[in-house]
Amino acid sequence: WTNPVPGTHNIIVVLSAADGHDLGNNKYEQSFTIKAPLNKVVMIDGSHNNENSKQDTGTYKDNFKLFTTLMKQQGYTVAENSSPLTEQVLKNVSVLVVTHPATAYSASEISEINNFVKNGGSLLLTEKSNFGASNQNINSILSGVGSSILVNNDGIFDETHEGNFWG
């Protein structure tokens, strides 16, 4: 269903047996609602071999499936970018998502991200904690948008029984 019509829809399924057997009352009805498009684009950047993007060749490649599905269900358009960030690339974007980039962003890309935020765009940055084994390519973006927050190679651990501390 490529272009669903916004509104409430009903699906009715009735099973019948080709061999004539009586299947009894087997009518199933389900109502669901398609939200109208919000005309807001959430763009996941993959231009720097970012984790959680299609360019990710590691184990995190499919981690954003649930995120993208939920955003689409709420009426957002989700896109993925593989080109350097420019004013044109960010032109119709509402939210820019940058996840753990493998390579650093250029000064011009950081300037474009800063302009994007100054002009009302939203920026979602995600990083990971690998305790000494991770780059900090997000820091140049954070500094470029005027943030005093920085990421480093510290680790955060939940050592309780309910936590996920290496086993």
Side-chain angles (χ1 to χ4, degrees):
W1 198 3
T2 55
N3 293 311
V5 177
T8 301
H9 302 273
N10 294 308
I11 294 178
I12 301 171
V13 177
V14 179
L15 299 176
S16 62
D19 62 5
H21 281 86
D22 182 8
L23 299 177
N25 184 8
N26 56 33
K27 184 177 179 181
Y28 175 77
E29 294 185 45
Q30 179 67 49
S31 178
F32 63 96
T33 302
I34 301 292
K35 290 189 174 187
L38 297 172
N39 297 318
K40 293 188 179 280
V41 175
V42 175
M43 187 177 77
I44 301 168
D45 188 45
S47 66
H48 291 267
N49 295 320
N50 306 61
E51 286 186 355
N52 306 305
S53 70
K54 291 177 184 171
Q55 284 69 36
D56 183 358
T57 58
T59 57
Y60 301 104
K61 182 175 186 171
D62 295 325
N63 277 6
F64 266 21
K65 279 187 177 181
L66 178 59
F67 172 78
T68 57
T69 298
L70 291 172
M71 291 295 97
K72 289 175 183 178
Q73 287 174 346
Q74 294 304 314
Y76 292 92
T77 300
V78 179
E80 187 167 319
N81 174 59
S82 59
S83 303
L85 295 177
T86 63
E87 181 180 6
Q88 185 63 32
V89 168
L90 296 171
K91 183 177 181 182
N92 295 313
V93 174
S94 298
V95 180
L96 173 62
V97 179
V98 177
T99 63
H100 189 65
T103 59
Y105 284 78
S106 70
S108 64
E109 288 177 302
I110 293 169
S111 176
E112 291 302 335
I113 294 170
N114 187 37
N115 291 336
F116 169 77
V117 172
K118 282 183 178 179
N119 291 325
S122 296
L123 178 63
L124 173 61
L125 302 173
T126 68
E127 193 48 272
K128 65 182 187 179
S129 170
N130 276 0
F131 194 63
S134 188
N135 68 60
Q136 288 92 40
N137 289 324
I138 289 279
N139 284 341
S140 58
I141 298 172
L142 285 164
S143 296
V145 297
S147 174
S148 61
I149 297 171
L150 296 175
V151 298
N152 61 25
N153 282 320
D154 287 344
I156 300 172
F157 305 102
D158 180 355
E159 296 178 348
T160 66
H161 178 69
E162 295 80 21
N164 185 14
F165 182 68
W166 296 325

